[in-house]
Amino acid sequence: LGGLVSSTATTATLARWARETPAWRALAAGGAILACSAMFARMAVLVAVVAPALGSGPILTFAAMAVTGGILGALLAKRSVAEGLPDLNVGNPLKLSAALQFGAFLAGVILAGRFLADRLGDAGVLITAAVSGLVDVDAITLSIGRMVLEGSVAASVATFALFIAATVNQLTKLGLMTSLDGRGLALKVLPAYLAMAGAGMVVAFLVP
């Protein structure tokens, strides 16, 4: 559920839990994978809604990555729960400040994307995608969807920008896990991330 809102914030929270309670590390890894799969499912839905002109390729690619991550994350989480876990204190995950911050970030990405697209063309769109991927993928997905509808960016460039944002976001999450809980959590998540990327590449190759 956290991944439906922000997989990056969810991953950071899980990494902190793993650091505070090492016995939770395997389950935190499963949760991080599930959060990531939710992110790709979210991207597939957003592309279908706000940028249908991109066609079925990106939608099916993101969907394949979501399904792969969902299966691997669920298997890891189930195996971890079966082993028994100590209690963990969880705070309130619903904060108005997070919603306000996302609104401000979305507005900034839309303005920056439009400005850089006007000044630098396609390169500006790709730069915006890479930078926004450091924090979130929803804002750039919505922004690119608007630009596609307005005809200010080509479908091929928009699709490439979405994959750049997603890739940067994945690398950012691995960096967060490493910085917050060392390499242990990141190494548990990395095989699933690679499997998701592989599934996406296969679908992207097969679907025009």
Side-chain angles (χ1 to χ4, degrees), residues 12 14 23 25-26 33-34 40 57 78 81 91 103 124-125 128 131 136 144 168 180 184-185 194:
L14 291 169
R25 186 166 289 120
I33 296 167
L34 288 171
F40 284 119
K78 183 178 180 180
V81 171
V125 176
T128 305
V131 173
D136 187 82
I144 286 178
V168 170
L180 293 173
L185 182 60
L194 293 176

Side-chain angles (χ1 to χ4, degrees), residues 62 125-131 133-134 137 140 157-171:
F62 290 137
V125 176
L126 299 181
I127 292 172
T128 305
V131 173
L134 293 170
V137 294
I140 189 63
V157 175
T159 301
F160 188 40
L162 291 177
F163 285 114
I164 287 178
T167 301
V168 170
N169 191 260
Q170 294 293 83
L171 294 174

Side-chain angles (χ1 to χ4, degrees), residues 90-105:
V90 181
N92 178 18
L94 302 176
K95 295 182 179 180
L96 178 60
S97 60
L100 295 176
Q101 289 170 3
F102 173 76
F105 182 69

Side-chain angles (χ1 to χ4, degrees), residues 5-25:
V5 180
S6 174
S7 60
T8 306
T10 302
T11 300
T13 299
L14 291 169
R16 285 193 291 268
W17 289 355
R19 180 187 61 198
E20 295 166 1
T21 311
W24 273 72
R25 186 166 289 120

